[in-house]
Amino acid sequence: MLQTQTIYEETKRLSVLFVEDDDPIRQRTAEILEDYFYRVDTGIDGIDALEKFNHYYVSKQKYYDLVISDIQMPRMNGVELTAELYAIRPDQPIIILSAHTEAEYLITLLNYGVAQFITKPIQYQEMLDTLHKVCKKINMAITVIQENKHVIALDEDTRWDNEKKKLTCGGSDVALTKYEIHLMALLTSKFEQVCSSEDILHHFYLNNIDVSSDNLRGMMMRLRKKLPENTLSSIYGLGYRLSYSHAKPL
């Protein structure tokens, strides 16, 4: 059994959105979470949670570090909420609360990329152990980025060095074309943000490289194949976003 202080060291700097329609469970669990996380917000269903998720980003210019959601909820259930959250932020860390009777939903959630589940009724020590594992991984990504300002971690094994203009995976270099190097330099400068197609084309223009919209789509497809899963996403009507990948199960 993990000690409270050990868990707190991984959670104390993080924010969490807890989504549960059952009032007593939501209140009791939120009180426990408040002992560990620096910020805890709650949602009563998927629609309420989605509104709070978007509002938090607008007000803080960052996403919640973690979302914990029940499956069975009115108006918008946990499966639908997960799909909406991944459409906004493909690498959003999510933990799902699941009863044994909800097994039919689990394959869909696994396909979305959810790698962590907590069974209901909630055993709070199990929940804290799971939170420790998930938050430790979140903090590893944050630490690497903070300590190496010119190095961006794309997942546990893949790094982009902006000084050397080099992509490595497991310590080995990944071959990039000159176009892909320019793309990586720009996308990592706007890490976790959407970079419009117009910005990318303008970047190439400033570097005296002639690239059309059709060429850009092809380059993005080829670059995506060289990057970890779920790191380079196309945001319909807006552009592209490079993010840290939480695709690997813990």
Side-chain angles (χ1 to χ4, degrees):
M1 181 183 298
L2 291 170
Q3 297 297 315
T4 296
Q5 185 62 33
T6 302
I7 300 168
Y8 179 67
E9 285 302 316
E10 300 295 345
T11 59
K12 63 183 180 181
R13 300 178 185 86
L14 304 181
S15 59
V16 61
L17 175 61
F18 179 66
V19 193
E20 167 64 65
D21 65 308
D22 185 291
D23 290 343
I25 293 176
R26 185 177 63 255
Q27 293 168 9
R28 184 167 63 252
T29 306
E31 288 174 359
I32 293 173
L33 294 174
E34 286 169 355
D35 289 337
Y36 291 91
F37 291 84
Y38 95 87
R39 174 164 181 157
V40 178
D41 292 333
T42 61
I44 61 174
D45 56 38
I47 290 179
D48 183 41
L50 191 59
E51 290 174 352
K52 288 178 177 175
F53 186 86
N54 287 320
H55 176 74
Y56 185 77
Y57 179 77
V58 170
S59 61
K60 301 293 183 181
Q61 288 300 296
K62 61 178 291 188
Y63 293 108
Y64 285 102
D65 295 298
L66 178 64
V67 174
I68 306 172
S69 177
D70 189 20
I71 291 182
Q72 295 287 6
M73 297 182 292
R75 298 203 298 169
M76 179 187 289
N77 65 33
V79 179
E80 296 166 328
L81 173 61
T82 297
E84 293 287 344
L85 293 180
Y86 280 147
I88 298 169
R89 187 189 183 196
D91 64 336
Q92 174 64 46
I94 299 174
I95 295 175
I96 292 293
L97 306 177
S98 171
H100 291 296
T101 56
E102 298 169 336
E104 69 272 18
Y105 297 110
L106 301 189
I107 295 298
T108 300
L109 289 164
L110 285 169
N111 287 336
Y112 281 145
V114 173
Q116 290 293 332
F117 298 88
I118 296 174
T119 56
K120 295 182 71 175
I122 298 173
Q123 301 297 318
Y124 286 99
Q125 188 58 52
E126 175 198 352
M127 181 185 76
L128 292 175
D129 290 346
T130 300
L131 288 174
H132 178 262
K133 289 196 299 182
V134 172
C135 293
K136 185 174 183 179
K137 185 173 183 180
I138 293 171
N139 284 318
M140 284 173 60
I142 294 172
T143 299
V144 169
I145 293 171
Q146 289 177 340
E147 291 182 352
N148 302 279
K149 298 298 185 180
H150 64 281
V151 176
I152 300 293
L154 301 179
D155 68 2
E156 291 180 342
D157 301 317
T158 310
R159 303 284 185 269
W160 167 256
D161 189 319
N162 202 43
E163 286 187 353
K164 298 178 180 178
K165 299 295 186 287
K166 180 190 296 185
L167 181 69
T168 59
C169 182
S172 300
D173 291 354
V174 177
L176 296 177
T177 68
K178 68 174 183 178
Y179 301 102
E180 291 167 346
I181 290 172
H182 278 287
L183 282 172
M184 287 298 298
L186 178 60
L187 291 170
T188 51
S189 73
K190 296 179 176 292
F191 196 60
E192 299 281 6
Q193 302 175 36
V194 176
C195 189
S196 71
S197 298
E198 290 76 15
D199 286 341
I200 298 172
L201 293 174
H202 184 63
H203 175 78
F204 278 113
Y205 173 77
L206 292 177
N207 286 276
N208 298 313
I209 301 174
D210 186 20
V211 174
S212 69
S213 297
D214 289 337
N215 295 147
L216 179 60
R217 283 191 289 270
M219 281 191 288
M220 285 296 185
M221 290 178 61
R222 290 187 290 274
L223 178 59
R224 185 178 286 117
K225 293 178 181 178
K226 298 181 180 182
L227 298 174
E229 183 180 0
N230 296 332
T231 52
L232 180 56
S233 53
S234 176
I235 313 300
Y236 181 76
L238 295 177
Y240 300 89
R241 178 173 57 211
L242 193 65
S243 306
Y244 183 84
S245 174
H246 296 271
K248 291 184 179 182
L250 294 170

